[in-house]
Amino acid sequence: MDTKLKADIAESAVITALLKKGFRVLKPVGDRLPYDVAIDVNGRLIRIQVKSAWYYNGSYTVDTRRTKTNRRYMRRAYYDEDDFDFAVVYIDRLNVFYVIPLSAFSTYKSGIALVESAKRQRKPRSAMYRENWDLLSAWAVQPVTAE
């Protein structure tokens, strides 16, 4: 399966999960925006970047950078603080979602290891975001700050 197909599957899974949880989902036309979907929570838009995790070396991994490709080369760059509000990472094999605010997502250097094994003595930092859909609604009620 190529990466574009994996991304499409992840995006469909995230949209379906959001709809099942009662969120109102908006889908941008095209792929020129730095986010994949948005939700409307009480009139406030929350921009979501969807990521697909893959299994590597005993854990699931997701790249925290954007990837632009053409036929000649692949270019990776970090996201800006205004690109989106949340990343939702989807693990297809397990049908598991991680809902991660951009403020936490951007602290990881180039990737996040999502450990789904119970063999560890302490849970990784990413565990607090596993299936934590309530973060979306809580974020939507925060006061908007004027700059």
Side-chain angles (χ1 to χ4, degrees), residues 77 126 145:
S126 59
T145 58

Side-chain angles (χ1 to χ4, degrees), residues 52-100:
S52 179
W54 65 92
Y55 192 75
Y56 176 75
N57 212 14
S59 66
Y60 293 90
T61 303
V62 65
D63 197 339
T64 57
R65 300 166 293 178
R66 73 174 85 228
T67 304
K68 293 282 188 183
T69 59
N70 67 21
R71 292 187 176 152
R72 296 176 196 232
Y73 65 94
M74 180 187 319
R75 184 177 58 119
R76 290 199 169 119
Y78 292 103
Y79 288 99
D80 294 328
E81 63 184 37
D82 293 328
D83 284 344
F84 57 88
D85 304 307
F86 283 86
V88 176
V89 179
Y90 178 61
I91 301 175
D92 184 31
R93 277 185 175 175
L94 306 175
N95 197 34
V96 169
F97 301 89
Y98 283 77
V99 181
I100 308 171

Side-chain angles (χ1 to χ4, degrees), residues 1 8-9 27 54 75 77 86 93-94 111 113 124 128 140 142 146:
M1 205 179 330
D8 290 342
I9 291 169
K27 176 78 175 100
W54 65 92
R75 184 177 58 119
F86 283 86
R93 277 185 175 175
L94 306 175
M128 69 187 331
Q142 289 182 353

